[in-house]
Amino acid sequence: MTAFEMIQIFAGFIGSLCFGVLFNIRGKRLAAAAFGGFLSWSLFLAASRLIPNEPIDYFIVAAAVSLYSEIMARILKTPATPIATTSLIPLIPGGSLYYTMTSALESDFNDFLGKAVSTLKLAGALALGIILVTTLSQLLFKRIGRRPEKPKKYT
Amino acid sequence: MEKLLDCVMDIGEQMLVSGGEVHRVEDSLKRIFTAYGAARIDVFIITSSMVVTIHTDDNRIFTQTRRITEYTTDYEKLHKLNELSRNICADRLSSAEIKTRLAEISGSRTYPLWLEFICYATIAGAFTLFFGGGYGEAAVSFLIGGCIRCTIFFCDKVVRNKIFTKFISSFAATLLAFSALKLGLIPMADLTPTVELIPTADKIIIGNIMTLIPGIGLTTALKDLLVGDSIAGMLRTIEACITALAIAAGYFAVAVLSGGAL
């Protein structure tokens, strides 16, 4: 692991922590979300060593981190989305969005198109990874977790 | 039942405003009304409007609608509302009880404003490092991040328009970054693995864009779309795209005004 990668992981952790504060997450949930930021970039670095394909890495990491937040959500009895969105902050393709803008400014059309498509790919992979896990867990918990509710008249 | 419907609509509205997904809110409302023994429940929610009709088992029908105009992501509130709706399902609280619990939740604490300033600055600084900027660049970015929060603060006071606020913030971020570059405040890149000898404003702008980017909006949008809430998903996608365009427009405005001297 290079020094730069360690800085990235640490910065990802700080970024998630601060976004958690901006979203008014508190206590243990904030700790879970910030740790998720650390986790998501570490996993991404590990995945990118094994599979040198960014969108696929994004997909895998998004799925793994969503799984992590579903588990934490069950433990902390809270919705999973806040933890998932905050944890995945380091994966938001801000850099590639910026470079897409600069190439648009230089009116280099081919370059712009290529970068725009790759930015969209990353965003799509991120969303797909999250959806895969949330949908699966919803299906699973509907099957197992729901007890029959006896309706009672409201007076 | 009418009072109850009103209270539960309040819960749904607050959930939606504080960042709950359409799917979650619809599900919670359905569960609550099922717990109170409604014979039929029709819930239709999109990001800007809620329509709920319930049929009671003695053949009375109640409908209420709500218009939602403003969102502020507040996950603490969402957490508490989620807890409340669980409690309601389990214990079937009376409408008066729900009212008091709701009032408690909407009066719950938020982080102080100064902490928000620090967070904006820290996010900008951290992501400048993250995308390969040096410590000096991160420091400049940190300061600009604080300024961006100020910009947002004043924009919100003057015009209550999120798109415009994003445009102005992006404009300010780019302008400040380029001014820092022109004034020679940005030290040479000292950390980048690819050796860059010319100082650039790139990393600083990226760091600040990270605070503005509608990343969560877009992910929620795609999620809504793929879960089957097409209308809500499309509305959110369009909103996120327009926000991204506003950020790009702010950047372009500075670039064009400075005569392409980048």
Side-chain angles (χ1 to χ4, degrees), chain A residues 8 24-25 78 81 146 150, chain B residues 21 31 79 92 111 130:
Chain A
Q8 274 194 320
N24 198 19
I25 304 179
T78 186
T81 326
R146 190 172 290 176
K150 268 189 212 154
Chain B
E21 315 96 305
R31 279 179 193 226
H79 167 75
R92 303 196 185 85
Y111 286 109
F130 185 87

Side-chain angles (χ1 to χ4, degrees), chain B residues 14 74 77 80-81 99-109:
Chain B
Q14 290 302 317
D74 184 338
K77 212 165 160 187
K80 283 189 176 155
L81 288 165
K99 272 243 163 71
T100 45
R101 288 282 298 271
L102 256 176
E104 244 170 62
I105 288 172
S106 40
S108 66
R109 64 210 170 123

Side-chain angles (χ1 to χ4, degrees), chain B residues 32 52 68 80 89 92 102 104 106 120 140 153 190 194 218 256 258:
Chain B
I32 292 174
V52 178
I68 290 117
K80 283 189 176 155
C89 285
R92 303 196 185 85
L102 256 176
E104 244 170 62
S106 40
Y120 261 78
V140 177
F153 182 76
D190 48 3
T194 52
L218 195 63
V256 170
S258 67

Side-chain angles (χ1 to χ4, degrees), chain B residues 65-80:
Chain B
T65 61
R66 289 287 163 91
R67 168 82 168 105
I68 290 117
T69 46
E70 246 188 306
Y71 307 93
T72 35
T73 314
D74 184 338
Y75 285 143
E76 174 71 9
K77 212 165 160 187
L78 184 64
H79 167 75
K80 283 189 176 155

